[in-house]
């Protein structure tokens, strides 16, 4: 078996959701938490040094997937041609043991109804069999994705298998990442002068009373302040991945 996998360039992604939308369209998935491709977005830092992080992730199709042994029905397996981790819908009973086991939140459910069956990224093996790339790869307008045999991905892009915030686990994904680089000041910035200019508005009242009102962010103010991939309810999935809240 030749193991296939993805490359994702975090420095390019701006969270447009084209990959997630294309995945739902190709696989006939209804709007809602059954998101095989998730675009996670979170914020760190404070003005003037805040940063938005994006991570588009579907499934790691891991060499040692935690979901496979966790399934009591033997419904999850690793197929032989591309190394994709798949689920047999006829065997799945919706017990959610796979979701508990997977550190990356790859198993998805369309609803909270008891017995709702698991579904997940299939690596688009139907497209691969026809000689095409996965739909998410083709849909990205700024080419943040690549796909192919993992030895080729590693040779082209290195072997970084995680970005900041991803779970620290022995379950290693078959995906290579180009993480965000540390933020650098391109030009010198006088923070005190900047804040003074931001505070004063001529004859109007000041925009804030003290600098700490702007740069010290109280707990709970940010809608999403960290990457959270393991989401076990529909509400958690939607909170971690959708952009029309908060």
């Amino acid at each position: 078996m030749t193991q296939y996998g993805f490359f994702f360039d975090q420095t390019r992604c701006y969270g447009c959701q084209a990959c997630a939308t294309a995945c739902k369209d190709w696989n006939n998935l209804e709007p809602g938490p059954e998101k095989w491709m998730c675009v996670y977005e979170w914020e760190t830092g404070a003005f003037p040094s805040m940063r938005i992080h994006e991570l588009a992730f579907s499934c790691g199709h891991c060499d040692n997937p935690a979901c496979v042994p966790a399934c009591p029905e033997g419904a999850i397996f690793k197929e032989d041609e591309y190394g994709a981790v798949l689920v047999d819908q006829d065997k799945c009973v919706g017990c959610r043991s796979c979701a508990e086991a997977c550190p990356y939140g790859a198993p998805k459910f369309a609803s909270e109804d008891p017995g709702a069956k698991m579904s997940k990224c299939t690596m688009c093996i139907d497209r691969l069999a026809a000689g095409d790339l996965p739909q998410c790869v083709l849909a990205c307008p700024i080419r943040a994705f690549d796909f192919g045999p993992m030895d080729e991905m590693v040779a082209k892009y290195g072997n970084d298998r995680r970005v900041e915030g991803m779970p620290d686990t022995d379950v290693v994904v078959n995906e290579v990442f180009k993480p965000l680089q540390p933020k650098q000041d391109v030009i010198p910035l006088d923070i005190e002068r900047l804040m003074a200019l931001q505070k004063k508005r001529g004859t109007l009242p000041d925009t804030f009373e003290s600098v700490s009102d702007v740069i010290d962010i109280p707990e709970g103010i940010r809608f999403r302040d960290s990457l959270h991939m393991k989401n076990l309810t529909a509400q958690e999935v939607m909170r971690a991945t959708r952009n029309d809240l908060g």
Side-chain angles (χ1 to χ4, degrees):
M1 178 190 74
T2 299
Q3 177 66 57
Y4 281 68
F6 293 88
F7 163 73
F8 176 71
D9 186 343
Q10 193 180 25
T11 69
R12 285 176 173 256
C13 180
Y14 58 91
C16 72
Q17 303 277 342
C19 57
T21 302
C23 175
K24 274 189 174 284
D25 181 63
W26 180 259
N27 294 290
N28 296 313
L29 301 175
E30 295 292 330
E34 193 177 19
K35 297 185 176 188
W36 295 0
M37 169 61 75
C38 286
V39 180
Y40 299 97
E41 183 177 272
W42 67 103
E43 177 186 334
T44 58
F47 180 84
S49 298
M50 62 181 293
R51 199 169 202 187
I52 302 297
H53 305 254
E54 312 281 357
L55 173 63
F57 183 87
S58 53
C59 173
H61 300 282
C62 313
D63 287 333
N64 59 333
C67 58
V68 172
C71 179
E73 305 299 323
I76 310 173
F77 63 98
K78 195 169 176 68
E79 61 85 40
D80 294 332
E81 188 168 0
Y82 303 103
V85 176
L86 304 175
V87 56
D88 185 337
Q89 291 285 314
D90 292 334
K91 293 182 178 180
C92 178
V93 296
C95 70
R96 303 191 180 227
S97 296
C98 55
E100 293 281 356
C102 176
Y104 303 108
K108 295 296 191 297
F109 301 86
S111 74
E112 296 295 314
D113 296 341
K117 296 190 176 188
M118 185 270 276
S119 69
K120 62 179 292 298
C121 166
T122 65
M123 200 188 276
C124 278
I125 58 170
D126 54 337
R127 296 181 56 83
L128 300 183
D132 297 324
L133 288 169
Q135 191 73 358
C136 59
V137 176
L138 292 178
C140 181
I142 40 78
R143 298 297 181 255
F145 288 103
D146 199 358
F147 177 85
M150 278 303 295
D151 56 353
E152 293 182 12
M153 296 295 100
V154 170
K156 289 171 67 175
Y157 303 112
N159 199 28
D160 200 331
R161 301 298 181 97
R162 66 190 302 272
V163 300
E164 182 181 355
M166 286 182 68
D168 187 8
T169 172
D170 293 334
V171 183
V172 180
V173 297
N174 278 304
E175 181 161 359
V176 173
F177 300 95
K178 182 180 178 181
L180 288 177
Q181 300 303 304
K183 195 168 184 179
Q184 298 179 350
D185 291 331
V186 179
I187 59 174
L189 182 63
D190 186 335
I191 301 297
E192 291 185 4
R193 176 63 176 158
L194 172 64
M195 299 307 292
L197 291 172
Q198 290 284 334
K199 183 177 181 180
K200 294 296 182 181
R201 298 192 299 171
T203 60
L204 296 174
D206 290 351
T207 53
F208 50 87
E209 293 183 2
S210 68
V211 172
S212 64
D213 293 337
V214 179
I215 65 174
D216 296 333
I217 308 299
E219 182 103 16
I221 292 297
R222 293 190 186 94
F223 177 53
R224 293 176 292 230
D225 59 6
S226 63
L227 173 60
H228 193 257
M229 303 179 75
K230 192 179 179 72
N231 302 290
L232 299 179
T233 68
Q235 184 178 13
E236 289 175 348
V237 171
M238 298 303 287
R239 179 179 176 84
T241 63
R242 82 191 211 187
N243 289 335
D244 59 345
L245 292 178

